[in-house]
Structure formats: C-alpha cells, structure tokens
Amino acid sequence: MARMTEKEADTLDEEITNADISLKPCEGGIFTRQRELLDALDRASADYIITRAMATNKMPLQILGEMVHEKITAYS
C-alpha cells in the first residue's frame, strides 16, 4: 500500500476541513421517508408494520408494498 507524502496529507486534511457537509433539511434518504410515512399513520398501524418488518427482516416500505399488492390482487 502506498503511503501519502506530507504534502498529500496536508492537502487532504485541508480538503476535508473545508468541505461543506451541511445537511439539507428538505432532502432525506429512504429512512427519513419511511419515518415520515410511519409518522403519518395511526399508532396501531405503524406498530404493526414495524413489528412485521422486524420479524421478516424487511424494510417497512417493503411491508407496505406487499400489503398494497395483496389488496390489488384481491380486487382484480
């Protein structure tokens, strides 16, 4: 493994120190979107989805998707 020179290390340190790492409050990843969706549900529904997700090692959005697909299939 190649080692950094002092100059390379100083350059990298300056780049990291001056990097803009601020979070944008209006943007979020999948976990933020899942949390917002679960917050919009009533407590019993959210608890059920979270419990089922944990039991099946799936994401809450996967559980919701499966439930929607089951309803679509039932009405088709």
Side-chain angles (χ1 to χ4, degrees):
M1 173 187 258
R3 299 187 62 87
M4 278 193 246
T5 64
E6 284 295 318
K7 184 177 180 181
E8 290 171 330
D10 289 340
T11 302
L12 181 59
D13 179 57
E14 186 174 329
E15 183 178 327
I16 292 171
T17 301
N18 296 326
D20 179 18
I21 57 169
S22 59
L23 298 175
K24 298 175 183 161
C26 62
E27 295 179 19
I30 190 161
F31 297 111
T32 301
R33 291 192 304 270
Q34 286 188 103
R35 174 56 30 211
E36 290 170 353
L37 180 60
L38 290 173
D39 287 344
L41 298 172
D42 62 274
R43 190 77 219 146
S45 298
D47 287 346
Y48 174 79
I49 291 166
I50 291 169
T51 301
R52 196 161 152 203
M54 289 171 34
T56 59
N57 292 322
K58 294 181 180 177
M59 303 281 283
L61 287 179
Q62 289 174 298
I63 299 300
L64 287 170
E66 289 173 359
M67 292 169 70
V68 169
H69 288 281
E70 287 172 11
K71 287 291 186 184
I72 291 170
T73 303
Y75 289 114
S76 296

